[in-house]
Amino acid sequence: MLITIKKIIFIGFFILSTPSIAQKITTIKMPSGEDIELRIFPAKGNVLLLGFPCDFGKSKNEESVAKSLSEDGLEVWMPDILSTYMLPKVRSSYAKIKNEDLVRIVQKAIKTGKDIYLIASGAGTQLALRAAAKWHEKYQNSDGLKGLILLFPRLNSAEPIPGVKPKYVSAVGTTKKPIMILEGGRTPNKWGLKHLSMKLSAGGSKVISKVIPDIRGYFFKRKDPNRTEDMVTSELSGLIKVSLFYLQKGILE
Amino acid sequence: MNNHQNAIFHQITNFLKTPLALLGVDLKNFQFNKICHFANHPYLCKGLRMNKIFLALLLIITLNTNAVELKKYTGLIKKPTISLPDLNGKIHTLSQYKGNIVLVQFWATYCPPCIKEMPSMNSLQSKLKKADIPFKILAINMAESKAEVEKFVKIVNPEFTILMNEDGSSIQQWQVFAAPSNFLINKQGEIIYTLFGGVEWNSKEIIKKITQLSKF
């Protein structure tokens, strides 16, 4: 009887497991010696969205959004960065990712010949900013990297102090690439958007920020989404396409 | 640990998470050890046990550090102003509270720590009133609608003044970028202390500091 139950559970694992829905999984050899697993959602279009830091199983909805984007002709690459280094998904982990590794990932995407846009959310946005800056430092004459989309960026370097403007991680203000920021209307962070935009543009970036009304930060990762958040989550790929439109058309004023 | 082992560990945990949850298996009591042994990575099992210990320690440390302290104000605006309506439309200014210690709090209905700490703010106000210490709380909502705030107030029952700031002008003037943001103001209308995050306001330490402030 016990063996039968074990068998059922064992078979159940295979039936009910949720493997990645990426159409292609490959690895990139990093200068640090690690192999980063890369999930690819291929598309024939000329745009490639490169996500940071991704990590399969650690973010809700990311694969369904990537699939939806690829069906609309936008290729999506999702490198599983943190798990490669066995790092937890916490802020302090991001500082441990080596610049050379980030540059290698971006350059691998550049080699496809497509227009590359980096995309990240929350504290992970610092990785995208660092990747853009360090890649540009190394490949100054290359033009493949076109911009960044930052979803609900959390870039404070320390706990907020009431009455004092926030300080940001060192990656802020280091890239010249155009930046699009999306922020929730129901988060105090929206009050810091102007200041953050100013700091981001210090490196030469053109920055545009949009507030999505009635949603909280990280809405697409929440376990208790309200009706608006549910709706916006289902439209997240659309929001990303709108952001790309802004970046492509240079509507940044 | 080499990269190959990293990859195996990653796959094992991801492979198990969803099916275990779907099968209703108690994750806490599930024997991860056996699976690690099966994968011939005994030190990963050790790692998992270590992680549990580490998490427990982290929790203890976090609980201790939750005893957030009032910090000396380091901002530039020493004597800020307020001119905001309460839920009945009556305008309140900070100057009309001169002679009181005033706790100005910026809060939002979507901010869980704000909701959690409000009962302790009621208690703080009541304790200080009994001790005959001139103390007021002005809780400024961060640019939400009156309907949203009224709905919230019915549930949480704050016994202090709620002010509305629908255009966010005070949020900007006071340089508030997070919630809850608290400012403790002396009898002369100067910001002395600030505090970010939820806290038990009726703690001995906070009452002591407010009592000290009331003497000047």
Side-chain angles (χ1 to χ4, degrees), chain B residues 69-84:
Chain B
E69 282 182 10
L70 290 166
K71 289 176 183 163
K72 283 275 181 193
Y73 173 63
T74 53
L76 298 174
I77 308 157
K78 296 290 175 200
K79 279 192 173 184
T81 56
I82 287 173
S83 182
L84 296 171

Side-chain angles (χ1 to χ4, degrees), chain A residues 6 8-10 12-14 16-18 33-37 55-58 80 83-86 159-166 185-195 214 216 222, chain B residues 1 3 6 9-11 14-20 22-23 25 30 44 68 71 73-76 109-110 142-144 148 167-168 171-172 174-179 181-183 194-196:
Chain A
K6 275 183 179 174
I8 291 167
I9 292 172
F10 191 66
F13 282 165
F14 284 96
L16 298 171
S17 64
T18 52
E34 305 286 355
D35 285 327
I36 282 186
E37 195 169 89
D55 289 280
F56 179 58
K58 290 187 180 176
D80 292 352
S83 52
T84 299
Y85 298 92
M86 288 286 282
E159 188 177 82
I161 302 171
V164 178
K165 283 181 176 156
R186 288 171 72 79
T187 157
N189 290 283
K190 77 169 180 180
W191 299 104
L193 256 187
K194 199 175 165 186
H195 183 245
D214 298 327
R216 295 168 291 177
R222 286 188 179 269
Chain B
M1 191 179 301
N3 207 46
N6 286 348
F9 181 59
H10 178 50
Q11 284 161 11
N14 282 327
F15 169 71
L16 288 176
K17 265 180 201 166
T18 310
L20 280 174
L22 285 169
L23 288 169
V25 175
F30 191 78
L44 288 184
V68 192
K71 289 176 183 163
Y73 173 63
T74 53
L76 298 174
T109 62
Y110 52 77
M142 294 175 76
E144 294 179 276
E148 280 171 309
D167 67 359
I171 300 166
Q172 288 169 48
W174 286 63
Q175 304 268 8
V176 171
F177 301 100
S181 282
N182 301 284
F183 299 84
T194 64
L195 192 149
F196 164 69

Side-chain angles (χ1 to χ4, degrees), chain A residues 111-165:
Chain A
K111 281 180 179 169
T112 61
K114 297 188 181 202
D115 289 346
I116 310 302
Y117 292 87
L118 307 186
I119 182 164
S121 67
T125 50
Q126 63 179 281
L127 275 187
L129 288 166
R130 190 145 59 90
K134 297 297 171 187
W135 176 84
H136 190 71
E137 252 177 50
K138 190 169 180 184
Y139 299 98
Q140 289 183 8
N141 299 322
S142 177
D143 191 33
L145 182 56
K146 299 293 183 187
L148 297 91
I149 299 171
L150 309 183
L151 307 168
F152 324 105
R154 301 292 177 260
L155 292 161
N156 287 30
S157 60
E159 188 177 82
I161 302 171
V164 178
K165 283 181 176 156

